[in-house]
């Protein structure tokens, strides 16, 4: 009985005690002798091709129905997770067709997002900037302010400032940042003098954006702080982002009209660099994370970051490094960047 079982097991596949190389050789032999490996797994292969097409043609996905295109673009890098799932399915089905088809989404994803896995941070830079949506319901504004101070930033933008919490932030940041301006629910703190601080109309009916001139040792720069309207995903309405899109257009117009050559935008844009609806802004500025960051720099939600909706963008200056800061009492992570002004 034992001998028969052993013999059968050796015919059907590798024994549990066989070395790994022997198991791989046995598996390869079974695949070579299987005439169905090209016929099976057609569904998996089709899904692999569709995944690649979605990544390549994401800009063609229409926004007319529930802003579906913007929703997909917000989480576009995560489409890559379908590749290992489909790989498992292809192996289970023992499908050579599916395995070959999976090369397409793998190459496309690597081309679109693989470069973000390579650290691009460099040395140098003469100004460190940071931005943080502090969350109006933040239970520890003092602790959040301390984290900001410890970042070593020269210029700090805060969004979602609750009126009752502003004095707390002013007190906690005042010793480090001598100059400040709060406009509505956004504010700017700086080690260097500010001038010309004013609200920026982003068509919301109340102030959630501002502009100020910062007089750095390397000269003046225009700094914008913005908190674009929130977006929601609803079953009956899809990705509700119309108000955000209108505000992004208004912000883009303000930046386009800026007379200064060196511009820095800090804020919570409630959208990623891939989102076409932010083109009015992203088409004329560079992301510090994309140009000089390490990794994806996801900033929201803080408990398990899945998207970088908080942005530092520049025009007329050179990004040198970009990173996320430790978690605070907010549902967003603060982010920072080092930029070169003296070019």
């Amino acid at each position: 009985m034992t001998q028969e079982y052993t013999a059968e097991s050796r015919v059907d596949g590798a024994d549990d005690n066989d070395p790994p190389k022997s198991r791989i050789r046995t598996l390869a032999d079974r695949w070579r002798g299987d005439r169905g490996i090209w016929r099976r797994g057609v569904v998996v292969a089709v899904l692999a091709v569709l995944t690649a097409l979605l990544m390549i043609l994401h800009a063609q996905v229409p926004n007319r129905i529930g802003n579906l295109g913007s929703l997909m673009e917000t989480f576009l890098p995560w489409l890559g997770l379908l590749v290992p799932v489909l790989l498992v399915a292809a192996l289970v089905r023992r499908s050579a067709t599916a395995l070959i088809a999976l090369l397409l989404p793998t190459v496309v994803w690597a081309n679109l997002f693989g470069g973000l896995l390579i650290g691009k941070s460099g040395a140098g830079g003469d100004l460190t900037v940071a931005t943080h949506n502090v969350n109006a319901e933040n239970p520890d504004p003092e602790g959040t302010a301390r984290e900001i101070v410890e970042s070593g930033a020269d210029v700090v933008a805060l969004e979602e400032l609750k009126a009752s919490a502003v004095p707390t932030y002013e007190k906690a940041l005042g010793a480090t940042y001598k100059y400040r301006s709060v406009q509505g629910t956004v504010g700017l703190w700086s080690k260097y003098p500010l001038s010309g601080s004013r609200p920026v109309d982003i068509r919301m009916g109340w102030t959630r954006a501002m502009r100020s001139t910062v007089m750095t040792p390397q000269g003046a720069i225009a700094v914008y702080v913005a908190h674009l309207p929130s977006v929601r995903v609803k079953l009956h309405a899809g990705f509700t982002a119309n108000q955000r899109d209108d505000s992004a257009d208004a912000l883009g117009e303000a930046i386009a009209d800026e007379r200064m050559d060196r511009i820095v935008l800090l804020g919570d844009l409630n959208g990623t660099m891939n989102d076409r609806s932010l083109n009015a802004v992203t088409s004329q500025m560079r992301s510090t994370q994309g140009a000089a960051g390490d990794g994806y720099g996801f900033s929201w939600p803080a408990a398990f970051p899945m998207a970088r909706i908080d942005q530092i963008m520049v025009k007329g200056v050179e990004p040198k490094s970009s990173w996320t800061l430790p978690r605070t009492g907010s549902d967003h992570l603060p982010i920072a960047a080092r930029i070169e002004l003296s070019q």
Side-chain angles (χ1 to χ4, degrees), residues 193-252:
L194 302 177
S195 63
S197 299
R198 57 175 174 79
V200 173
D201 182 11
I202 55 173
R203 303 170 190 163
M204 291 191 63
W206 69 96
T207 302
R208 289 203 349 179
M210 63 172 289
R211 181 241 183 246
S212 188
T213 298
V214 180
M215 296 299 302
T216 76
Q218 290 75 33
I221 61 171
V223 177
Y224 285 77
V225 182
H227 182 195
L228 298 188
S230 299
V231 296
R232 298 287 186 269
V233 180
K234 300 179 180 179
L235 291 177
H236 67 280
F239 193 55
T240 57
N242 292 336
Q243 188 180 25
R244 190 243 5 220
D245 299 347
D246 290 342
S247 291
D249 290 342
L251 178 61

Side-chain angles (χ1 to χ4, degrees), residues 142-208:
E142 291 184 1
T144 297
R146 284 196 299 271
E147 290 286 351
I148 293 296
V149 171
E150 290 175 5
S151 73
D154 302 303
V155 177
V156 173
L158 300 184
E159 303 86 48
E160 206 167 301
L161 286 169
K162 192 176 182 179
S164 60
V166 169
T168 301
Y169 287 108
E170 289 179 335
K171 180 179 179 181
L173 298 173
T176 303
Y177 303 99
K178 182 178 179 181
Y179 307 95
R180 69 180 184 276
S181 175
V182 176
Q183 307 285 335
T185 61
V186 297
L188 189 66
W189 277 258
S190 173
K191 294 179 180 179
Y192 307 119
L194 302 177
S195 63
S197 299
R198 57 175 174 79
V200 173
D201 182 11
I202 55 173
R203 303 170 190 163
M204 291 191 63
W206 69 96
T207 302
R208 289 203 349 179

